[in-house]
Amino acid sequence: MRLPLKPLKLPPSGAATLRSFSAEPHPSPPPPPPSLEGPDPSSHISQTLSLLQTTDPSSWTTNTTLHTLLSSLSPPSALKIARQLPNYQNALHFFNHLRSTSQPSDSISLAFQAVLEHAKRESPDSAGKLYELYVLSKDQNTPLSVNAATLLIKCFGQAEMLDEMIMVFDAVDEEMVNTDVLNLVVSGFLKWGRFDDALKMLDEMFETDSGYPPNSNTTGIVFSSILKRNWSGRSVTDEEICKLVSRFGAHGVYPSSIWFTQIISRFCRNRECEKAWVVVHEAMNSGLDVEVASCNALLTGLGQERDFARMNLLMKEMKEKGIKPNVVTYGIMIKHLCKFRRVDEALEVLEKMRDGELGIEPDVVIYNTLIDGLCKVGRQEEGLKLMEKMSLDSKCNPNTVTYNCLIDGFCKAGEIERGHELFEQMSKEGVEMNVITLNTLLGGMCRHGRVSTAMEFFNSMREKGLKGNAVTYTVLITAFCNANNIDKAMKLFDEMRENGCSPDAVVYYSLISGLSQAGRMDDATFIVSKMTEAGFGLDVISYNILIRGFCRKNKLDKASELLKDMEKNGVSPDRVTYNTLISFFCSNGDFTHAHKVMKKMISDGLTPTVVTYGALIQAYCSNDNIDAAMKIFRDMSSSSKVPPNTVIYNMLIDSLCKNDDVEVAISLMDDMKEKGVRPNSTTYNALFKGLQQRNWFEKALEFMDQMTEHACNPDYVTMEILTEWLSAVGETEKLRKFVQGYQISASTA
DNA sequence: CTAGGGTTAG
């Protein structure tokens, strides 16, 4: 049933309900025409009020003074009186009295609105109470004022009484519906995650000439709901967000700059830079003042996609539109120049900033980015100089990050001592160190095989009160695993939990990897169960590691169990998974299963890689089936378009030479040259062995020259073969020259 | 702006 609702004029105070949900000031309705009232409406109201409060409701019908007062009651006064009555019960009596005395329906409506307002304030379960009253009003055919409807919609929306909410909304007269009412409905749906229902309401708002077009509150409600971390509804795709922004934009409304920037960042994070680009340009072209923060978000995304062209274009557009880059903008440009090792260009930007050419002073982040960039390309000495230089720039003192970058730079270069010196300089200069400083130094020590030094250092830091975090333990656990000290790694894992440091996924991954590598599959399985208990899942790489571990132990049953587990957990096998299995079957000489897996791989939409073919070629070679190996080799480059690499050629050349097919091996060397695949020392070693069998000395000399020419360094195997062979034929002079050439090429390299 | 791991052919 649809209630007849008439639009009502509202007293100024009537806007209160709207104001509570609307950020925009509601336009004040005109004051009620004085002609309806007596000479003094406020005294009229106070007289009525005092009479209502001093007499019993049961006597109201017979009270002639009251009758006279109410006979000239205007609807706005009815609202005021009902509101000023002390409580809900009084207001309800008043409302009932107005009904029984056949007051104008406008007055009854507004009195009912006040009853609802009282009920909302007084009742602990206001939504339930309001619903009762709403049903009552429907039964009594009391028209709802727009504010009463608004109040009900808002209240039901908050109480997740969405059917009731929409029932009230449907009861509102079309001509009374306005943007604010629709905003409340949309907000109610979104609060409970009902995106699709909200979308239907938005569709109505977007319709041309809807009479209730979206406004900035609408965008605020929509985007703050769906972008919040605790969004409970179905996941909203970037596509949908993009469309929404455009549709709002067509109505000239945009999300606030904060949400706009968040949307841009989200698109960029999801590698949907194109959408971010479109949305920003739509906004710019519609004349919106896009803030520099939004542009910065887009620049970051473009940088991640290596789209330098568009980065520069955006910078140009910003300039045209008068959007001034800030220090963050230059930070992004510098960061991405550094990332692509264009450190000198990044330094030029710094110089321009220091010259005052850009009107923006460099800050500590700019310096840190550059110092890190220098360190990452092995120019840590320059980084150190830049740190000294920034100190001379007033108020730009090195901080913890500055030192961390430099310590990492020196450690990565193997200069652990310099790293340690910087660490000591830090405390001398009063720069606080943090857990990243500790982890950086520990990582440096571990990488250079100084695991026990690292452990001692960690212990001394702990004594000083600095606790390690999950990263610290990952560094140490990995180092102990690599040093084949699995027991110590396991001990550290227990220790970290005793110390109240909860392991994260990476800690588990590194331990699983270490244990699998060491062949301790039972321990690895145990850690997997611990990991699952802790609520972490395995990713495809850790599955691959485990599968490989079990294959090496010849436990195919365990490996296939893991495959089933993957499927159950929604982790799809990748090329490596299949290659691991193919290698396993190949190494067992089981070509039937190897080919079967390869078929499955292809049917899963994965193309075989050079590793797949390599496994097969390797297996056929060790089975002395060089013809089959050569057939695969030809297949891969012709039909499947997987170019063979050095490893493939090495296996074939080695096999051919061992099989005394040196001519074919040499033809493969030519093939390599033609295809631009570089031979390495393994290639030459295989070939030299074959040539030695045939005693093709001249050919060997040719390839020795080629090695020198290509700056391919001989290894100890090369030296062994050549020393034996050349001294046997009394050509040690040739060998001496060869070694000399190697030394020259090594020094120029 | 800074720190952590991990696979497949040899």
Side-chain angles (χ1 to χ4, degrees), chain A residues 677-688:
Chain A
V677 182
R678 282 176 66 94
N680 58 20
S681 56
T682 312
T683 327
Y684 288 106
N685 293 347
L687 198 66
F688 286 140

Side-chain angles (χ1 to χ4, degrees), chain A residues 56 132 155 196 209 213 254 277 280 341 377 386 407 425 489 510 522 620 652 692 718 721:
Chain A
D56 191 81
E132 270 174 41
C155 192
D196 292 301
D209 309 319
Y254 277 92
W277 179 268
V280 165
R341 312 183 125 242
V377 295
L386 190 55
I407 290 172
Q425 188 184 331
S510 38
D522 289 337
Y620 282 121
L652 288 168
Q692 187 188 14
T718 328
I721 301 165

Side-chain angles (χ1 to χ4, degrees), chain A residues 688-706:
Chain A
F688 286 140
K689 271 189 247 168
L691 295 169
Q692 187 188 14
Q693 276 171 31
R694 292 276 185 96
N695 211 9
W696 283 7
F697 183 59
E698 291 302 319
K699 208 73 191 164
L701 288 180
E702 227 174 82
F703 282 115
M704 281 162 74
D705 285 345
Q706 210 183 89

Side-chain angles (χ1 to χ4, degrees), chain A residues 381-623:
Chain A
E381 298 293 350
E382 283 171 74
L384 193 59
K385 285 211 185 76
L386 190 55
M387 173 165 86
E388 284 153 13
K389 219 158 96 180
M390 72 189 270
S391 300
L392 300 176
D393 270 22
S394 54
K395 69 185 178 178
C396 213
N397 289 323
N399 61 12
T400 310
V401 178
T402 324
Y403 277 98
N404 288 350
C405 294
L406 283 165
I407 290 172
D408 191 48
F410 281 105
C411 282
K412 290 246 162 81
E415 297 189 64
I416 312 290
E417 284 316 314
R418 299 283 300 278
H420 200 263
E421 277 166 30
L422 279 161
F423 173 77
E424 271 161 6
Q425 188 184 331
M426 264 178 107
S427 45
K428 226 173 35 215
E429 305 270 335
V431 177
E432 292 243 357
M433 64 140 175
N434 60 15
V435 67
I436 299 182
T437 323
L438 170 71
N439 293 342
T440 306
L441 258 177
L442 285 179
M445 292 168 175
C446 289
R447 263 196 307 275
H448 292 88
R450 289 149 77 165
V451 191
S452 50
T453 314
M455 206 51 219
E456 280 162 31
F457 182 68
F458 178 41
N459 286 330
S460 74
M461 285 298 114
R462 277 202 281 202
E463 277 164 27
K464 287 184 186 166
L466 185 68
K467 277 205 249 168
N469 62 9
V471 179
T472 321
Y473 286 98
T474 303
V475 170
L476 294 169
I477 286 172
T478 307
F480 279 113
C481 285
N482 288 337
N484 248 319
N485 194 343
I486 306 289
D487 293 325
K488 180 69 188 168
M490 287 286 259
K491 238 186 213 155
L492 272 168
F493 179 69
D494 292 332
E495 197 182 302
M496 77 179 285
R497 291 185 297 178
E498 282 159 23
N499 290 346
C501 176
S502 48
D504 64 8
V506 181
V507 180
Y508 287 105
Y509 291 151
S510 38
L511 201 48
I512 289 168
S513 162
L515 291 167
S516 299
Q517 205 99 38
R520 290 171 59 161
M521 297 316 293
D522 289 337
D523 289 328
T525 307
F526 173 72
I527 298 296
V528 170
S529 68
K530 285 275 155 218
M531 185 174 177
T532 319
E533 277 170 37
F536 296 107
L538 292 166
D539 63 0
V540 63
I541 298 179
S542 33
Y543 273 118
N544 291 344
I545 289 166
L546 286 161
I547 288 170
R548 175 169 186 259
F550 281 120
C551 283
R552 282 206 311 205
K553 292 258 156 187
N554 246 315
K555 291 189 168 162
L556 188 61
D557 51 332
K558 293 278 181 194
S560 32
E561 237 173 71
L562 282 165
L563 281 167
K564 283 192 199 114
D565 203 52
M566 284 176 88
E567 201 181 324
K568 200 180 75 205
N569 293 322
V571 181
S572 325
D574 65 2
R575 296 153 201 263
V576 178
T577 321
Y578 284 113
N579 287 343
T580 306
L581 292 167
I582 291 166
S583 303
F584 167 74
F585 288 123
C586 281
S587 63
N588 283 354
D590 184 350
F591 292 100
T592 319
H593 277 102
H595 281 287
K596 236 183 203 164
V597 176
M598 190 165 146
K599 271 214 183 89
K600 174 91 168 66
M601 179 181 188
I602 294 167
S603 72
D604 265 11
L606 299 169
T607 47
T609 67
V610 68
V611 179
T612 322
Y613 294 111
L616 286 164
I617 290 172
Q618 169 65 20
Y620 282 121
C621 285
S622 11
N623 272 264

Side-chain angles (χ1 to χ4, degrees), chain A residues 13 42 45-46 49 53 77-87 90-91 114 117-118 121:
Chain A
S13 58
S42 68
I45 287 171
S46 55
L49 264 170
Q53 286 176 77
S77 296
L79 178 67
K80 270 193 190 152
I81 291 165
R83 274 183 174 160
Q84 285 178 43
L85 284 166
N87 58 39
N90 285 311
E117 287 168 11
H118 278 292
R121 257 197 311 275

Side-chain angles (χ1 to χ4, degrees), chain A residues 630-665:
Chain A
M630 285 302 284
K631 186 180 178 314
I632 291 178
F633 168 73
R634 282 188 297 268
D635 279 357
M636 67 185 287
S637 29
S638 62
S639 62
S640 350
K641 307 271 178 260
V642 179
N645 62 13
T646 309
V647 177
I648 299 283
Y649 282 103
N650 287 355
M651 292 187 294
L652 288 168
I653 290 170
D654 186 52
S655 248
L656 288 164
C657 286
K658 279 185 182 143
N659 209 32
D660 211 30
D661 263 341
V662 188
E663 290 86 351
V664 186

Side-chain angles (χ1 to χ4, degrees), chain A residues 33-310:
Chain A
S35 59
L36 279 173
E37 295 283 343
D40 183 359
S42 68
S43 106
H44 182 264
I45 287 171
S46 55
Q47 274 177 49
T48 315
L49 264 170
S50 80
L51 189 60
L52 289 171
Q53 286 176 77
T54 50
T55 55
D56 191 81
S58 58
S59 66
W60 287 351
T61 31
T62 53
N63 190 322
T64 48
T65 323
L66 184 62
H67 185 80
T68 318
L69 281 168
L70 292 184
S71 65
S72 61
L73 182 77
S74 72
S77 296
L79 178 67
K80 270 193 190 152
I81 291 165
R83 274 183 174 160
Q84 285 178 43
L85 284 166
N87 58 39
Y88 161 72
Q89 273 305 332
N90 285 311
L92 189 62
H93 283 307
F94 177 60
F95 162 69
N96 282 327
H97 182 70
L98 294 185
R99 281 189 61 239
S100 64
T101 55
S102 302
Q103 288 284 326
S105 69
D106 286 1
S107 297
I108 294 174
S109 278
L110 288 176
F112 181 67
Q113 177 191 323
V115 171
L116 292 175
E117 287 168 11
H118 278 292
K120 185 168 162 39
R121 257 197 311 275
E122 286 174 28
S123 173
D125 169 33
S126 58
K129 184 76 197 162
L130 288 181
Y131 184 61
E132 270 174 41
L133 288 166
Y134 170 63
V135 171
L136 184 80
S137 77
K138 233 163 91 168
D139 292 347
Q140 296 173 341
N141 272 334
T142 303
L144 277 182
S145 70
V146 70
N147 279 0
T150 303
L151 184 145
L152 289 170
I153 287 170
K154 185 179 177 190
C155 192
F156 293 158
Q158 278 175 353
E160 206 181 357
M161 293 162 65
L162 300 178
D163 292 337
E164 292 81 353
M165 173 183 83
I166 209 69
M167 196 193 293
V168 175
F169 175 73
D170 284 338
V172 176
D173 237 16
E174 173 74 21
E175 55 196 272
M176 267 169 48
V177 174
N178 60 31
T179 301
D180 292 319
V181 173
L182 269 150
N183 281 350
L184 278 177
V185 176
V186 169
S187 164
F189 279 134
L190 291 176
K191 183 178 164 71
W192 304 100
R194 302 261 294 263
F195 180 67
D196 292 301
D197 292 303
L199 211 53
K200 274 183 212 136
M201 304 313 293
L202 288 170
D203 284 340
E204 289 190 27
M205 300 176 87
F206 286 136
E207 264 172 37
T208 38
D209 309 319
S210 71
Y212 26 81
N215 60 19
S216 60
N217 285 330
T218 323
T219 57
I221 289 161
V222 169
F223 292 111
S224 67
S225 303
I226 60 181
L227 296 173
K228 259 187 195 143
R229 258 177 292 111
N230 58 4
W231 165 247
S232 57
R234 74 157 170 94
S235 64
V236 181
T237 64
D238 288 346
E239 182 65 43
E240 285 169 320
I241 292 179
C242 190
K243 234 171 146 181
L244 273 173
V245 175
S246 296
R247 290 172 81 191
F248 278 119
H251 282 77
V253 280
Y254 277 92
S256 70
S257 142
I258 292 172
W259 293 120
F260 194 65
T261 306
Q262 279 212 11
I263 290 166
I264 308 298
S265 309
R266 177 188 159 129
F267 289 165
C268 293
R269 215 179 26 249
N270 297 341
R271 307 196 138 275
E272 297 268 22
C273 241
E274 184 59 36
K275 286 191 172 63
W277 179 268
V278 168
V279 160
V280 165
H281 284 80
E282 274 178 9
M284 275 182 173
N285 295 334
S286 74
L288 185 83
D289 286 322
V290 176
E291 285 197 13
V292 64
S294 307
C295 296
N296 288 344
L298 180 53
L299 281 171
T300 307
L302 292 170
Q304 275 156 4
E305 291 195 352
R306 308 168 173 224
D307 196 342
F308 268 97
R310 274 189 170 179

